[in-house]
Amino acid sequence: MPPPADIVKVAIEWPGAYPKLMEIDQKKPLSAIIKEVCDGWSLANHEYFALQHADSSNFYITEKNRNEIKNGTILRLTTSPAQNAQQLHERIQSSSMDAKLEALKDLASLSRDVTFAQEFINLDGISLLTQMVESGTERYQKLQKIMKPCFGDMLSFTLTAFVELMDHGIVSWDTFSVAFIKKIASFVNKSAIDVSILQRSLAILESMVLNSHDLYQKVAQEITIGQLIPHLQGTDQEIQTYTIAVINALFLKAPDERRQEMANILAQKQLRSIILTHVIRAQRAINNEMAHQLYVLQVLTFNLLEDRMMTKMDPQDQAQRDIIFELRRIAFDAESEPNNSSGSMEKRKSMYTRDYKKLGFINHVNPAMDFTQTPPGMLALDNMLYFAKHHQDAYIRIVLENSSREDKHECPFGRSSIELTKMLCEILKVGELPSETCNDFHPMFFTHDRSFEEFFCICIQLLNKTWKEMRATSEDFNKVMQVVKEQVMRALTTKPSSLDQFKSKLQNLSYTEILKIRQSERMNQEDFQSRPILELKEKIQPEILELIKQQRLNRLVEGTCFRKLNCRRRQVPVADIKAVVTGKDCPHMKEKGALKQNKYCIWTDGLNALLGKDMMSDLTRNDLDTLLSMEIKLRLLDLENIQIPDAPPPIPKEPSNYDFVYDCN
């Protein structure tokens, strides 16, 4: 007969004694259970004791999390969180360096537990740690020459404890002094500093910037890009990751008017080439956290284009009109000035109108009107001018080649450039905030200072090539753009390492190749779109969903080791969960350090399954599609080369008699 559900069998350890095997009644108050354990070992004052997990987590057992205790769990009787916090609060102020070091080491470990953290913070422990960082370091620096390892370890444990305590979100970041910020910044600015101290200092600065506008301003005054750059040139990927995270945080929180200035500084300090050399092309794999940081930096960099993308052209602005004159001059009149006074005004207007038509503008008389739509606004004109100046031969060839064609077959350069710029902005999601879980960065965008413009230049030449391959006319414009988008998207999914490699990938994705790919995909799709197959899918789908659900629930039972994510890390009984929200819907995710972002699809699916709700993650959709496809293919193996009719065969009429039936009896 199975034991009652409320009874859990555990082992409990106590230093110097044999472990006890006992049954815990979950209906009893925790204090009564602790008293029973203490009585068994003849320990007085049971209120000074607590139970904690004996594994590496050492988390305390509380009334909130006691339901997580499973049969076979090993627990440890230890001093209560309040007692432990009080003792450590005193020990870290010891005059003995060895005692202080040991106390800080214990504090760094225990601070991961929210129960202990709350007790230590109640003793004003955060203030004590910040005072030790602010003033204590000077006192101990005198001992550095003779006790350098001890000093480094002491500071490392102090900062570790601080980071762990702050991660619980109990204390506001706005409470810290300028002196503390200066001290943390000084650790980052030092050329030679212990790796653990540097890593924790960078983590603290990132959290300060993301969680407080006032602290952002103070950190920005203390830290310069030039001081962060050397940390990217080392070989420690974790330090490089935290360094880019700080740069991203400063970039993200900078006022709009400061972002372009900051981007200019990053360019002057050659941040892109340093990342390319020491991170992307380093002889080691890029982990997920680094990939996420590179993705965030890529998005923030491209978002600098948003202002131009959303700026309409002013047809009365002569400086803007001069850009269009320059496009015309480079294409048709390279040796003469655009404002040549020879000839009548009417003749020049007529000539300009003819040339603007050849350039492919919709409005031949006043092409400035073509740039009044946002997006892409003035960004399209910027791209056209960049192409004309930096790839002049290709620009002139495209314009002249199309101006000599019959009207119905010419590829309009102006219109194409405007629509292409808009399309590339959509592909790269220009103007959108970085996703909290995405790590989809493209190495090729780190190979050039003007990567977006170069990206455009490659794609506009592709568009012209595809137009010719399709033998398109003006009526086919949208079809051509759809093909070009597919070519670009397919090439990007291969993650080319350089712009030249991207160009090479596009060469292999001609219009003919796209047609072959589409035909192949269509045939595969058609095989699964017939009525009998759809009915079979509908019948199988509940079984597959149940299989996915069981897999998710099994993962919940197994447990998963996550990096720290939420700021409180409170343990919530599953029975108390009312709904599951992810990504930007989570209040605590909006200002978190990007290093702490992870994919939680399996867990959110599992929790939704427990709540009786649909599993809505992309991972579930992908798993469902894959498993459905595999199951249907397996079931259709015996029907290979047999045409499956769309409608079931007719049921024959009943025979006039059943004399042909054989009676087995």
Side-chain angles (χ1 to χ4, degrees), residues 584-641:
K584 292 180 182 177
D585 294 330
C586 301
H588 63 276
M589 292 286 280
K590 293 179 180 175
E591 300 294 343
K592 285 305 296 179
L595 279 178
K596 302 178 180 71
Q597 311 306 330
N598 278 292
K599 295 181 179 178
Y600 291 85
C601 293
I602 290 175
W603 274 71
T604 56
D605 284 342
L607 292 171
N608 276 321
L610 285 174
L611 294 170
K613 297 183 179 180
D614 292 337
M615 297 178 290
M616 303 297 293
S617 73
D618 290 337
L619 185 62
T620 290
R621 283 193 288 272
N622 293 337
D623 286 351
L624 179 62
D625 290 342
T626 302
L627 293 172
L628 263 179
S629 176
M630 288 172 59
E631 182 66 20
I632 286 174
K633 286 176 181 177
L634 284 171
R635 295 197 182 197
L636 298 181
L637 277 177
D638 293 336
L639 298 178
E640 192 172 358
N641 298 323

Side-chain angles (χ1 to χ4, degrees), residues 328-346:
R328 179 204 159 275
R329 185 192 68 77
I330 294 172
F332 303 115
D333 202 13
E335 296 180 357
S336 64
E337 292 297 319
N339 293 322
N340 195 318
S341 59
S342 63
S344 66
M345 181 68 72
E346 289 75 16

Side-chain angles (χ1 to χ4, degrees), residues 376-418:
M378 287 295 291
L379 184 59
L381 189 57
D382 294 343
N383 283 338
M384 293 167 71
L385 183 63
Y386 181 91
F387 182 50
K389 285 190 170 183
H390 294 83
H391 300 270
Q392 195 170 109
D393 291 344
Y395 167 69
I396 292 172
R397 185 183 71 251
I398 286 176
V399 172
L400 296 184
E401 188 179 90
N402 285 290
S403 64
S404 62
R405 288 185 194 170
E406 298 177 38
D407 279 354
K408 65 176 183 177
H409 283 295
E410 66 179 7
C411 176
F413 173 73
R415 183 184 175 192
S416 298
S417 297
I418 292 167

Side-chain angles (χ1 to χ4, degrees), residues 3 7-11 21-24 69-74:
I7 302 298
V8 184
K9 295 182 178 181
V10 299
L21 295 176
M22 68 178 294
E23 294 183 349
I24 291 180
I69 302 173
K70 299 181 177 69
N71 282 315
T73 300
I74 301 176

Side-chain angles (χ1 to χ4, degrees), residues 551-563:
Q551 188 269 343
R552 301 297 195 257
L553 293 176
N554 288 339
R555 286 295 296 272
L556 295 191
V557 172
E558 285 177 24
T560 304
C561 183
F562 290 105
R563 282 184 62 93

Side-chain angles (χ1 to χ4, degrees), residues 232-399:
L232 292 172
Q233 296 171 316
T235 57
D236 189 313
Q237 189 170 117
E238 189 171 17
I239 293 298
Q240 291 175 323
T241 307
Y242 274 96
T243 301
I244 298 176
V246 172
I247 293 172
N248 285 340
L250 290 168
F251 213 148
L252 188 63
K253 289 298 179 178
D256 292 343
E257 64 275 9
R258 279 270 301 146
R259 283 183 187 167
Q260 188 58 58
E261 181 186 337
M262 188 174 173
N264 295 337
I265 295 171
L266 295 178
Q268 290 170 8
K269 299 296 181 182
Q270 299 183 320
L271 176 71
R272 178 198 57 76
S273 60
I274 289 169
I275 289 176
L276 182 67
T277 303
H278 296 279
V279 178
I280 296 175
R281 291 182 177 170
Q283 298 301 310
R284 62 175 181 270
I286 293 176
N287 61 36
N288 286 339
E289 290 181 348
M290 174 60 85
H292 177 73
Q293 289 305 324
L294 293 174
Y295 154 78
V296 172
L297 182 59
Q298 173 186 292
V299 171
L300 294 176
T301 303
F302 283 145
N303 280 356
L304 293 170
L305 303 169
E306 184 182 13
D307 183 53
R308 293 294 282 174
M309 181 182 78
M310 300 308 294
T311 300
K312 295 181 180 180
M313 186 171 185
D314 180 1
Q316 307 305 318
D317 189 318
Q318 188 58 44
Q320 294 179 0
R321 290 167 62 87
D322 285 345
I323 298 175
I324 298 177
F325 286 141
E326 182 69 3
L327 289 173
R328 179 204 159 275
R329 185 192 68 77
I330 294 172
F332 303 115
D333 202 13
E335 296 180 357
S336 64
E337 292 297 319
N339 293 322
N340 195 318
S341 59
S342 63
S344 66
M345 181 68 72
E346 289 75 16
K347 274 189 177 181
R348 276 188 291 147
K349 280 186 177 180
S350 175
M351 179 178 64
Y352 284 176
T353 300
R354 183 194 67 220
D355 290 347
Y356 291 147
K357 183 179 180 182
K358 290 179 180 179
L359 277 169
F361 289 113
I362 296 173
N363 193 315
H364 308 149
V365 178
N366 185 8
M369 299 302 294
D370 286 15
F371 300 96
T372 55
Q373 179 189 359
T374 58
M378 287 295 291
L379 184 59
L381 189 57
D382 294 343
N383 283 338
M384 293 167 71
L385 183 63
Y386 181 91
F387 182 50
K389 285 190 170 183
H390 294 83
H391 300 270
Q392 195 170 109
D393 291 344
Y395 167 69
I396 292 172
R397 185 183 71 251
I398 286 176
V399 172

Side-chain angles (χ1 to χ4, degrees), residues 518-530 537:
R518 285 180 174 180
Q519 180 65 20
S520 174
E521 290 177 349
R522 192 179 300 116
M523 287 176 65
N524 289 334
Q525 192 175 13
E526 284 172 357
D527 288 343
F528 289 95
Q529 294 304 314
S530 64
K537 266 188 178 182

